[in-house]
Amino acid sequence: MPDLTRRRVLAVGGALGVMAAGGLGAAAGLSRRPAVTGAELRSAVPLPPPFRVPLPLPAVLRPVSTAAGTDRYEIVQRETTAEILPGVRTRLWTYGGTFPGPTIESRRGRPVTVTHRNELPVPTVVHLHGGRTPAESDGYPTDLVTPAGWPTTAAHGGHTEPGGHAGHGSGQGMHDPRAVTTELTRDYTFPLDQRATLLWYHDHRMDFTAPAIWRGLAGMHLVRDDAEEALGLPSGPRELPLMITDRAFAADGSLDYPSLDPTLRGRPGVREPYLAGVLGDVILVNGAPWPVHEVDAARYRLRLLNASNARHYELEWVDGDGRNLPVVQVGSDQGLLAAPVTHTYLPVAPAERYDVVVDFAHAPVGGLVRLVNRLGSGRTREVMAFRVARRATDTSRIPRTLSTDLPNWRRSDAVRVRDFSFRAGRMGEDDGHGWLIGGLPFDPARSDVTVRLGDVEVWRLVADVHHPVHLHLAGFRILSRGGEQPLPHDGGLKDTVSLRPGESAEIITRFDGYRGRYLFHCHNAEHEDMGMMANLQVT
Ligand code: C2O
Ligand code: CU
Ligand code: CU
């Protein structure tokens, strides 16, 4: 990290920290560890009662070819209109016409090429979150796919609109000579030489990721392998991918979002009081509001993804008698745990995934099991429900050993320890509020961290408010939290660690895979757009 002028950061960070806290609403002070970081939009259309809309399951995309050992897919990014709330028509930006986009299912080690075609009105970037991907296909935020006819003065990375806002407004080197812009289409190649898990793909354009995801640019990507399938975990109709998001709806049915420039072509960022994050008052699972799904009284494997911009969840499964069902965690962001861990609730930060087994045989047949967010209030406490329809035979099992290939790096393996602060601050001398890593806002032209391929490093991260910190390329283990043992749900291989207000954490990883230009950033999508991202160069 270029040395940070600590005194200055503390000075402005302190003042803006108060402002960020103001964005939390109510009297939530930083010291009281507020449940949310962000401010909630209120929908201007009537909201449907919960548990009426059936849970949609995104279609699994069919490859256009499977020749030469590679699965090839095509996805057209385009606008569409969908009925998310019953009777309300909503414009969306989609992968392939649906929100979530189609699910891609892959085998570990079998490469996938996805040809994305951009028919949206702005440039886009595709990132496969959690993928161990060569840099040229990792979706660096200035590697744009421009729509047909977009002005080709593309040297300015994310800011190709003539007369548009010049970067973060700080005028500090937004020119990115290394950006590789392609017109209309781009092939992204994913070797998927990595542990089986649930990945997700989403937009990653510099300064505009948050509103693009909000409008619908997100989809799931499952990687499977033989070892996992041999375990006997619930499968087929008893395995459910669940993408959880929050949104708000304007009076005309469109998705409400407080963009400074709703065309997403000019000035990035959001209005006050949403600087700390945009929350919606409608909870969607797989794109449906508070859906319901009919289940057998049997074990189900739930592949959970929090694809919300800023909302955190503490999920619990509650039956009609108010009892919590046990939640058996079998995997985390980057695949299976070594052994199952049983929880009563599960904290899920933006971009985190949890692989859990819930046994609906614990609940009365005929009743509802509600998936509840303990951090929500009013309608946002409810997420979805499962209707336990019938008794059924269950041959699934949860073996005591799930995997034996988890990396177990020790502190003594680390060749370096680095420190990073994640705090509010100023984007530039005369510009407004931002979110900074080590005192600096993102600049694609700066080099922040250079690591050597194969090196093991320990990173110490510290936060002011909630910051879910995500590392591209490399999965990591959580070594400690607040100087203590990690939490019970911190096990396994992670790619996102949820720092809570005022908290620090240590992570350890080996930078394996590929050389090139990668990123680490906060996955509160508003923070990410307002500077909280840094370059990671692997050499
Ligand atoms: Cu989920 Cu850098 O992204
Ligand atoms: Cu990522
Ligand atoms: Cu953040």
Side-chain angles (χ1 to χ4, degrees):
M1 212 66 206
D3 55 52
L4 68 105
T5 48
R6 187 171 166 75
R7 202 156 36 94
R8 181 169 160 268
V9 169
L10 286 176
V12 294
L16 287 158
V18 173
M19 179 163 131
L24 305 175
L30 294 181
S31 56
R32 295 202 5 243
R33 188 167 280 180
V36 295
T37 290
E40 189 171 295
L41 289 162
R42 287 293 147 87
S43 291
V45 293
L47 300 182
F51 319 142
R52 299 282 174 84
V53 179
L55 174 76
L57 293 170
V60 174
L61 194 61
R62 298 170 66 102
V64 292
S65 119
T66 56
T70 300
D71 295 336
R72 305 188 68 92
Y73 294 92
E74 289 173 2
I75 293 179
V76 177
Q77 305 172 5
R78 58 181 178 87
E79 283 191 88
T80 194
T81 302
E83 191 175 319
I84 294 177
L85 303 179
V88 176
R89 293 171 65 75
T90 301
R91 276 311 258 180
L92 296 172
W93 287 6
T94 67
Y95 292 119
T98 61
F99 170 65
T103 300
I104 295 178
E105 292 213 17
S106 306
R107 304 299 297 186
R108 173 179 190 163
R110 185 178 166 89
V112 162
T113 298
V114 187
T115 302
H116 277 270
R117 180 183 170 91
N118 180 8
E119 295 184 357
L120 292 166
V122 300
T124 60
V125 172
V126 179
H127 170 59
L128 180 61
H129 180 121
R132 198 200 313 197
T133 305
E136 61 272 19
S137 285
D138 196 49
Y140 191 82
T142 52
D143 288 346
L144 306 176
V145 183
T146 58
W150 188 263
T152 51
T153 51
H156 289 275
H159 311 283
T160 56
E161 179 76 345
H165 180 68
H168 296 303
S170 53
Q172 46 170 331
M174 286 302 122
H175 178 75
D176 180 10
R178 289 193 286 173
V180 179
T181 297
T182 62
E183 201 189 330
L184 196 55
T185 69
R186 184 173 179 124
D187 285 357
Y188 291 88
T189 295
F190 308 110
L192 300 174
D193 180 12
Q194 59 185 99
R195 306 180 86 232
T197 193
L198 171 63
L199 310 174
W200 63 301
Y201 59 102
H202 61 74
D203 195 63
H204 216 304
R205 177 166 63 119
M206 183 164 158
D207 297 345
F208 295 98
T209 292
I213 294 176
W214 186 270
R215 289 176 191 206
L217 293 180
M220 292 181 277
H221 189 144
L222 281 157
V223 182
R224 302 193 181 279
D225 69 10
D226 298 343
E228 183 196 280
E229 279 174 358
L231 293 177
L233 294 169
S235 63
R238 294 190 187 161
E239 182 191 24
L240 302 172
L242 301 175
M243 177 194 280
I244 304 174
T245 56
D246 60 340
R247 295 290 186 269
F249 294 81
D252 63 358
S254 64
L255 290 171
D256 198 8
Y257 189 86
S259 284
L260 292 175
D261 172 4
T263 69
L264 308 191
R265 290 163 168 242
R267 186 174 177 83
V270 293
R271 299 189 311 265
E272 283 190 69
Y274 301 98
L275 301 171
V278 178
L279 309 173
D281 61 352
V282 177
I283 307 297
L284 306 175
V285 183
N286 295 345
W290 300 288
V292 60
H293 189 66
E294 192 171 280
V295 293
D296 298 334
R299 281 183 284 273
Y300 277 70
R301 182 179 183 189
L302 307 177
R303 315 295 301 264
L304 299 162
L305 159 65
N306 179 1
S308 309
N309 283 22
R311 185 178 288 280
H312 288 245
Y313 300 80
E314 279 184 8
L315 297 177
E316 56 185 4
W317 282 256
V318 183
D319 74 10
D321 299 326
R323 281 184 315 224
N324 273 39
L325 269 60
V327 188
V328 182
Q329 185 188 356
V330 296
S332 64
D333 299 336
Q334 287 282 323
L336 291 169
L337 305 180
V341 181
T342 302
H343 307 282
T344 52
Y345 74 94
L346 209 57
V348 194
E352 281 190 306
R353 285 91 69 213
Y354 285 92
D355 190 352
V356 302
V357 175
V358 171
D359 189 351
F360 293 104
H362 290 307
V365 170
L368 275 188
V369 173
R370 293 176 308 130
L371 178 54
V372 170
N373 174 19
R374 309 201 319 187
L375 301 178
S377 59
R379 299 284 323 256
T380 62
R381 273 186 75 79
E382 308 287 352
V383 176
M384 66 171 290
F386 300 88
R387 181 175 304 284
V388 184
R390 62 192 80 78
R391 295 192 191 291
T393 55
D394 189 353
T395 56
S396 73
R397 44 187 227 110
I398 307 175
R400 269 196 263 187
T401 299
L402 295 165
S403 70
T404 53
D405 65 337
L406 266 183
N408 228 331
W409 306 294
R410 286 159 311 175
R411 274 174 204 281
S412 55
D413 299 331
V415 299
R416 212 162 288 103
V417 177
R418 299 181 201 260
D419 287 283
F420 300 99
S421 65
F422 291 78
R423 293 191 204 283
R426 288 206 167 274
M427 297 289 271
E429 289 311 318
D430 50 319
D431 202 20
H433 176 278
W435 295 96
L436 313 178
I437 301 178
L440 296 170
F442 179 58
D443 178 351
R446 191 179 60 225
S447 94
D448 293 314
V449 176
T450 303
V451 301
R452 282 209 336 251
L453 189 70
D455 274 2
V456 176
E457 298 198 1
V458 169
W459 287 15
R460 298 194 295 218
L461 316 171
V462 60
D464 55 359
V465 294
H466 288 96
H467 296 295
V469 176
H470 168 53
L471 193 56
H472 284 216
L473 181 69
F476 55 80
R477 307 291 306 264
I478 301 176
L479 279 180
S480 73
R481 233 182 227 277
E484 319 244 308
Q485 287 300 307
L487 296 172
H489 61 271
D490 284 338
L493 195 61
K494 299 280 294 170
D495 56 49
T496 305
V497 54
S498 173
L499 301 177
R500 296 172 301 178
E503 194 174 49
S504 64
E506 290 178 300
I507 61 171
I508 187 168
T509 187
R510 182 199 302 276
F511 292 94
D512 264 340
Y514 306 94
R515 295 184 173 82
R517 184 162 68 147
Y518 293 92
L519 294 166
F520 62 104
H521 60 86
C522 179
H523 223 292
N524 173 314
E526 281 75 34
H527 296 189
E528 173 181 346
D529 280 352
M530 286 183 276
M532 198 165 257
M533 185 150 64
N535 291 297
L536 168 68
Q537 183 75 35
V538 183
T539 59

